[in-house]
Amino acid sequence: MRAADGTPLKQKLAQAQRQAQMKALALIAPLFLFIVISFLVPIGAMLTNAFYDPDIHDQMPQTVAAISTWDGTTVPGEDVFAAFAADMKAAQKAKTSALIGKRLNYEMPTLKSKVTVTARKLEKMEAGPWKDAVIAIDPVWGQPDTWATIKRAGSSYTPFYLLNVLDLKQTPDGSITGVDANRKIYRDILLRTLGISFLVTALTLVMGFPVAYLLATIPQKRASLLMILVLLPFWTSLLVRTTAWSILLQDGGVVTQVMSLTGLTWLLNQLGLIAGEPQLFKTRFATVLAMVHIQLPFTLLPIYSVMKTISPTYMRAARSLGAKPGYAYWRVYIPQTLPGVAAGCLLTFILCLGYYITPALVGGPTDNMISGFIDIAMNQENNWGKASALGAVLLTATMILYYVYNKLVGIDRMKLG
């Protein structure tokens, strides 16, 4: 069979399908490019920076080549020190000795100043022997551990940053062990981030579930009015809401005055929970309270969405079969809300993992979450490797949660509103 222009009908249909596919691709291309540029590329760069650090390899090429055959048991020979002196002279001339020192200082504290001093003194020397001259500048160059650190950092791809944010380190012989007790901070930060996120998620579920049930069961006109109250926080920016909490919770602020007027401050003093006026601002309580206020709609709305689809006939059927109201609610109604509960809790928990502004404004010094330390690594320490490694840990935790949700509930059952 042929079309009106004489083209075989099968060929004409294939052309029409290709044109339809090209139009569909053209429509989704802007969104696809936006996702790739703004989402996938930054994540890929972050994961790469968590492993990739070519500073020592690029700035000390002769030392890296010479030390590659070093056995790691004794102080390297004259050839390694000669290569080191040549690299230090070149770094001093190119003004990159501080960069080398900063990178080595990550693995061996105090090495930054020793590198810059050594480079400055070696610049004035014309000839060797270099081994004795370099060790005479600072005894640290006579220690095998120092050269083991240089050899390890000479590789462009390193597990150092990821191990560091997990409070682990590589020993000179290559084995992995825990860092000293006074340097263990990142596991506590990760546990603190997970703990606060879990607590906020649980509180939003406890408070949001009854409200969602009320909205799903009352007449539509009343539900619409109450829904406005639920959605009201979305009309104000997160920064404004957090700033408002910082004002309300300050010493002598509105919240403490209300507690005093209602006798709650007296009661807490009698119970021994506080001594004197309550200190709410810059505490864990303030952080959790502000985060619960912000996250409550994110947990409530998916639950409400699922509850609206549950037919009341299920409960009536259970009651007609002899089930008591509480039993029917627990065994018939609650299981049907689980997709919404799981979606709301997953969404809230993942969003809480990345909180930065709220803990910084209303929380205390011990309430900073992992995002705050990513900010410190980028803007204060200029350590992009550590910032990327912390981001990779956060991404891994999120992916694990997503995997667990998919296994327990199924991503195809997720309903966000």
Side-chain angles (χ1 to χ4, degrees):
M1 295 182 63
R2 293 182 179 275
D5 58 355
T7 306
L9 184 57
K10 187 175 181 180
Q11 182 179 350
K12 197 71 174 178
L13 288 173
Q15 289 177 354
Q17 289 180 346
R18 281 198 297 272
Q19 289 176 356
Q21 291 173 351
M22 293 302 294
K23 289 179 181 177
L25 288 175
L27 288 173
I28 67 170
L31 177 60
F32 178 75
L33 289 175
F34 178 79
I35 291 175
V36 169
I37 295 172
S38 65
F39 189 70
L40 296 181
V41 171
I43 289 179
M46 178 193 71
L47 294 176
T48 301
N49 284 332
F51 292 96
Y52 184 66
D53 187 351
D55 285 347
I56 299 300
H57 183 271
D58 293 346
Q59 302 300 329
M60 302 178 67
Q62 297 183 60
T63 306
V64 171
I67 206 172
S68 61
T69 57
W70 175 54
D71 60 5
T73 57
T74 59
V75 179
E78 178 66 21
D79 57 330
V80 174
F81 277 90
F84 177 75
D87 284 334
M88 286 294 101
K89 288 184 176 183
Q92 185 66 11
K93 187 176 181 180
K95 301 185 183 304
T96 57
S97 59
L99 176 65
I100 296 172
K102 187 184 74 171
R103 171 62 184 87
L104 295 177
N105 195 69
Y106 292 156
E107 299 198 40
M108 190 175 239
T110 73
L111 210 53
K112 181 179 180 180
S113 60
K114 298 179 186 301
V115 169
T116 53
V117 170
T118 302
R120 191 163 56 246
K121 291 185 176 180
L122 284 175
E123 187 183 24
K124 300 175 183 176
M125 297 183 183
E126 297 295 335
W130 298 107
K131 183 173 182 177
D132 293 337
V134 171
I135 294 176
I137 294 174
D138 197 304
V140 74
W141 305 116
Q143 300 173 6
D145 286 356
T146 304
W147 296 99
T149 301
I150 296 176
K151 183 177 182 180
R152 199 164 52 245
S155 174
S156 297
Y157 294 92
T158 172
F160 168 73
Y161 294 110
L162 276 176
L163 292 176
N164 186 41
V165 300
L166 295 174
D167 290 336
L168 300 172
K169 66 178 182 180
Q170 265 188 310
T171 59
D173 62 357
S175 61
I176 296 174
T177 184
V179 299
D180 299 335
N182 59 352
R183 296 178 62 85
K184 286 183 177 179
I185 57 172
Y186 295 109
R187 288 187 193 175
D188 291 340
I189 295 168
L190 181 60
L191 291 176
R192 181 194 309 161
T193 302
L194 294 173
I196 292 176
S197 301
F198 178 80
L199 179 60
V200 171
T201 303
L203 291 175
T204 56
L205 176 61
V206 170
M207 290 188 283
F209 193 93
V211 177
Y213 180 75
L214 178 67
L215 290 170
T217 53
I218 63 176
Q220 187 60 41
K221 190 175 181 179
R222 295 180 183 175
S224 300
L225 291 175
L226 290 179
M227 184 58 73
I228 293 175
L229 299 178
V230 173
L231 297 176
L232 198 60
F234 284 122
W235 300 348
T236 310
S237 75
L238 186 147
L239 182 59
V240 172
R241 279 179 279 169
T242 304
T243 306
W245 276 115
S246 69
I247 297 172
L248 292 172
L249 295 173
Q250 283 183 352
D251 297 343
V254 175
V255 176
T256 54
Q257 291 180 17
V258 171
M259 291 177 65
S260 298
L261 291 174
T262 57
L264 184 58
T265 301
W266 175 83
L267 179 61
L268 294 175
N269 276 283
Q270 294 299 316
L271 294 175
L273 298 177
I274 62 173
E277 292 296 320
Q279 304 290 324
L280 302 177
F281 190 51
K282 294 294 181 183
T283 62
R284 180 70 55 84
F285 171 79
T287 302
V288 173
L289 179 63
M291 289 177 66
V292 167
H293 171 242
I294 295 168
Q295 287 300 133
L296 186 58
F298 292 97
T299 305
L300 187 152
L301 291 176
I303 299 174
Y304 167 74
S305 174
V306 171
M307 286 181 173
K308 284 293 288 183
T309 63
I310 300 175
S311 174
T313 56
Y314 294 112
M315 289 289 288
R316 287 199 292 267
R319 295 291 306 280
S320 67
L321 293 174
K324 294 182 178 179
Y327 186 84
Y329 185 78
W330 178 253
R331 296 301 299 271
V332 177
Y333 190 81
I334 293 290
Q336 296 183 78
T337 65
L338 288 182
V341 171
C345 290
L346 179 69
L347 182 62
T348 293
F349 193 88
I350 290 175
L351 290 175
C352 288
L353 289 177
Y355 258 67
Y356 164 63
I357 293 177
T358 303
L361 290 182
V362 301
T366 59
D367 296 321
N368 265 350
M369 298 170 72
I370 199 167
S371 298
F373 286 85
I374 292 175
D375 171 67
I376 293 173
M378 289 192 300
N379 296 321
Q380 297 183 23
E381 301 175 4
N382 195 26
N383 188 344
W384 287 84
K386 186 166 77 174
S388 299
L390 287 170
V393 170
L394 203 57
L395 179 64
T396 303
T398 305
M399 296 305 296
I400 291 174
L401 284 173
Y402 180 84
Y403 176 79
V404 171
Y405 174 85
N406 190 33
K407 284 293 182 183
L408 294 179
V409 181
I411 195 62
D412 56 326
R413 299 182 64 188
M414 177 179 285
K415 294 183 178 180
L416 296 176

